[in-house]
Amino acid sequence: MIQEELLKKRRTFGIISHPDAGKTTLTEKFLLFGGAIQTAGAVKSSKIKKSATSDFMEIEKQRGISVASSVMGFDYKGYKVNILDTPGHKDFAEDTYRTLTAVDSVILVIDCVKGVEEQTRKLMDVCRMRHTPVIIFINKLDREGQDPFDLLDEIEKELNIHTRPLSWPIGMGSSFKGVYNLFEKKLQLFSPGKNKLTDEVYQINDLNSSELDAHIGDKPAKKLREDADLIEGVYEPFDKELYLEGYLAPVFFGSAINNFGVKELLDTFVQIAPEPQSRQTDLREVMPAEDNFSGFIFKIHANLDPNHRDRIAFCRVVSGRFERNKFYKHTRLDKKFRFSSPTSFMANEKSVIDEAYPGDVVGLYDTGNFKIGDTLTEGEMINFKGIPSFSPEIFKELINKDPMKTKQLEKGILQLTDEGVAQLFSRQPGNIKIVGTVGELQFDVVQFRLLHEYGASCEFRPLNYQKACWFTTTDKKALADFSLIKGHHIVKDKEGRLVFLADSMWSVQMAQSNYPSINFYFTSEFKNADETAVIGKY
Ligand code: G4P
């Protein structure tokens, strides 16, 4: 058995937000507290360094976004914390959704000026679908934002989750004085400063005490007392179980750039966030404390150096102990593999490790054997579930511009889609290749990488589809009718499953009502009714 103590002290989570809400800044402050980096700015500057050393990453640099998501581990108060970074840009949303399969909880950052934004909604849909516990950090309190009660109402309504403030802001923007921790009854006074690590904190158990007026002034003290009364009246007390089940999100307020409210968030996070959780396979649930190692690949990262074609597959350890140089079964290929230089990530550093435990993420060098969702075990033939492909939103036909390089193009597009850069569908007759993505940017990435890594030049022809629905039926006649009428819209995915490419949500609904014996699904993994219901909204 894996020691209980070891599991209790591990936290694997993702920070998610709409771009610009402050995810990178918050991540960086966490790493500062964890001692994993020494200076503010280190996280961003590493992004720039990477882009300077590779052409592919030029795309990222030029567009000023983070294409790749990575893993950052650090130690804090005896806990091993793993942050799985997620690209905020919506064109890489699918990468983020997949990364969320490898975390046990998330911290959602919301900009107090902008409130709930488009990506916030989509990311929370994915969290809700998986019942991922969420802590909310409302950021940028140094700016004039929306009223905190209004913000919480908006979050509850728009994100469909109950909230419970654990801290409360005193003023905002130019009149921002600090926050009162309702849970620990501590007053934390705000002073701007990027590099300070601690705030001025006072224990004030009774809000009616005149000490409060002395620290923040009469008027703000009066307002805080009124707010606190209202909070107690309106919100249920914090219930950890409801948080762990993903129904209730505790809320903190602060300013990441000023390092304000970040430490209390981190302290509460390590206390309440879940330890590494079990995961479901096609045969059984795998518990983290089991002896035998198992894990799954949730992300594949191309080598950014064009001289080395290998890739890094990110494996989330689910159970047991992963060991360097030990043979593990790749269950999809039914083949054994051994990894001589598995890598762990500590902030910006990569290092070879000898072992890893549940909750950890190990980077495995791969020469093209892995696909997203693959399972590794000590021999048991199981496959982890819950890493579905979601319906793309943009579809284009892949056109080969150089017939001499057909083989390279075929190989390249298969490998890139294995990595999850885009999805590939094929339509007969003529073996038409259709690439589906959630954003325009990925077409640039595919075109660029096919040319630079495989020497194949291609172009894309836009197609008028908006939605991919996987479908199954046992009704042969219905299938024949549907195929006859919708032939041009019926394709297969890489696994040979039937997919209906619809030109609107309306035509999906029409197909559903005209062919009741055909089951339509909005993700490639369609055993769970919850998932199809949620993702179906996109
Ligand atoms: P992201 O990863 O979610 O996209 O956001 P990021 O941390 O990059 O932050 C987006 C912008 O918001 C940055 O400004 C950052 O400095 C700023 N920011 C983060 N936290 C706070 C905060 O608490 N208060 C205020 N006022 N601003 C905050 P930028 O101008 O885009 O970049 P930079 O030049 O500051 O690096």
Side-chain angles (χ1 to χ4, degrees), residues 12-137:
T12 300
F13 76 110
I15 303 186
I16 55 176
S17 76
H18 189 87
D20 269 354
K23 182 174 67 65
T24 312
T25 313
L26 184 65
T27 306
E28 184 178 279
K29 301 298 165 170
F30 278 178
L31 296 177
L32 274 173
F33 281 117
I37 55 171
Q38 266 65 49
T39 51
V43 174
K44 275 194 183 158
S45 66
S46 103
K47 276 188 201 164
I48 294 160
K49 244 190 293 165
K50 265 194 221 154
S51 56
T53 54
S54 89
D55 283 334
F56 164 52
M57 294 300 268
E58 267 306 303
I59 296 179
E60 173 183 29
K61 192 175 146 193
Q62 283 161 14
R63 304 200 186 227
I65 51 156
S66 167
V67 172
S69 56
S70 54
V71 186
M72 287 158 286
F74 64 92
D75 294 313
Y76 183 72
K77 293 195 168 170
Y79 290 88
K80 166 94 195 286
V81 182
N82 295 311
I83 306 183
L84 274 55
D85 191 21
T86 53
H89 193 284
K90 77 168 180 36
D91 284 11
F92 292 88
E94 188 150 4
D95 196 2
T96 299
Y97 301 156
R98 282 191 299 256
T99 298
L100 291 179
T101 65
V103 303
D104 299 303
S105 69
V106 301
I107 292 181
L108 169 66
V109 185
I110 290 179
D111 181 332
C112 73
V113 184
K114 298 196 175 136
V116 173
E117 297 175 83
E118 189 198 343
Q119 273 309 102
T120 331
R121 265 180 223 111
K122 289 196 174 179
L123 291 165
M124 269 302 297
D125 277 348
V126 177
C127 291
R128 254 203 328 275
M129 174 183 108
R130 312 178 56 79
H131 304 288
T132 309
V134 179
I135 297 181
I136 296 174
F137 182 70

Side-chain angles (χ1 to χ4, degrees), residues 170-434:
I170 305 161
M172 253 194 199
S174 54
S175 64
F176 182 49
K177 297 249 181 298
V179 294
Y180 181 68
N181 188 321
L182 299 155
F183 202 50
E184 293 178 350
K185 309 211 174 299
K186 283 181 181 157
L187 174 70
Q188 206 170 334
L189 293 183
F190 175 66
S191 62
K194 290 187 183 181
N195 296 323
K196 66 181 173 58
L197 277 188
T198 47
D199 301 304
E200 243 181 290
V201 181
Y202 300 94
Q203 187 72 43
I204 299 189
N205 291 326
D206 179 5
L207 275 185
N208 289 320
S209 136
S210 60
E211 212 189 327
L212 183 66
D213 304 69
H215 284 300
I216 60 174
D218 298 350
K219 250 186 163 173
K222 184 165 173 266
K223 174 88 170 66
L224 177 62
R225 288 180 189 117
E226 286 167 8
D227 285 356
D229 280 349
L230 199 54
I231 292 165
E232 295 311 319
V234 171
Y235 296 95
E236 297 287 321
F238 174 63
D239 181 332
K240 187 174 160 188
E241 284 312 306
L242 290 181
Y243 155 69
L244 290 175
E245 286 164 16
Y247 290 110
L248 177 76
V251 180
F252 289 87
F253 292 83
S255 168
I257 194 94
N258 290 296
N259 216 352
F260 186 78
V262 175
K263 187 171 176 297
E264 62 166 352
L265 171 69
L266 184 57
D267 286 343
T268 312
F269 165 77
V270 290
Q271 270 178 44
I272 67 171
E275 57 186 69
Q277 298 291 293
S278 63
R279 291 285 188 285
Q280 197 61 43
T281 70
D282 50 354
L283 295 181
R284 66 185 186 88
E285 186 177 0
V286 175
M287 307 307 288
E290 290 179 20
D291 274 334
N292 287 341
F293 159 76
S294 68
F296 63 88
I297 307 296
F298 65 94
K299 177 179 173 59
I300 295 174
H301 205 252
N303 195 325
L304 302 174
D305 179 351
N307 297 322
H308 297 275
R309 188 64 75 72
D310 56 359
R311 317 182 287 182
I312 295 183
F314 289 73
C315 174
R316 147 94 196 209
V317 179
V318 176
S319 66
R321 187 165 75 129
F322 171 90
E323 287 173 67
R324 183 158 83 97
N325 276 329
K326 194 166 167 181
F327 277 97
Y328 291 117
K329 173 82 91 182
H330 182 316
T331 59
R332 180 176 56 86
L333 300 180
D334 195 7
K335 250 167 116 174
K336 289 200 159 179
F337 287 90
R338 188 165 76 100
F339 303 95
S340 58
S341 32
T343 308
S344 83
F345 306 83
M346 287 295 276
N348 301 322
E349 309 268 306
K350 274 198 292 192
S351 52
V352 172
I353 46 140
D354 289 320
E355 56 183 24
Y357 292 93
D360 289 347
V361 172
V362 188
L364 305 173
Y365 285 93
D366 170 40
T367 48
N369 294 308
F370 284 120
K371 275 209 267 204
I372 302 275
D374 279 346
T375 299
L376 285 175
T377 68
E378 295 205 16
E380 191 180 358
M381 292 303 277
I382 47 175
N383 296 293
F384 283 102
K385 296 198 319 187
I387 309 135
S389 298
F390 296 94
S391 170
E393 288 166 17
I394 308 172
F395 299 83
K396 295 187 185 186
E397 183 182 338
L398 176 71
I399 296 169
N400 185 1
K401 274 177 53 186
D402 181 357
M404 303 295 285
K405 295 280 168 65
T406 304
K407 267 200 172 145
Q408 285 87 334
L409 185 86
E410 300 254 341
K411 182 174 173 203
I413 195 66
L414 284 178
Q415 288 205 346
L416 294 184
T417 47
D418 277 356
E419 270 178 38
V421 176
Q423 290 180 55
L424 181 65
F425 304 95
S426 62
R427 192 176 69 205
Q428 303 304 343
N431 198 21
I432 308 284
K433 288 190 170 46
I434 296 173

Side-chain angles (χ1 to χ4, degrees), residues 119-162:
Q119 273 309 102
T120 331
R121 265 180 223 111
K122 289 196 174 179
L123 291 165
M124 269 302 297
D125 277 348
V126 177
C127 291
R128 254 203 328 275
M129 174 183 108
R130 312 178 56 79
H131 304 288
T132 309
V134 179
I135 297 181
I136 296 174
F137 182 70
I138 298 188
N139 191 26
K140 306 198 185 181
L141 267 281
D142 56 321
R143 292 203 177 151
E144 300 297 336
Q146 301 175 36
D147 174 81
F149 283 111
D150 290 348
L151 270 171
L152 295 187
D153 276 356
E154 182 180 323
I155 292 169
E156 294 213 337
K157 232 181 266 144
E158 300 238 353
L159 301 184
N160 203 0
I161 189 163
H162 294 289

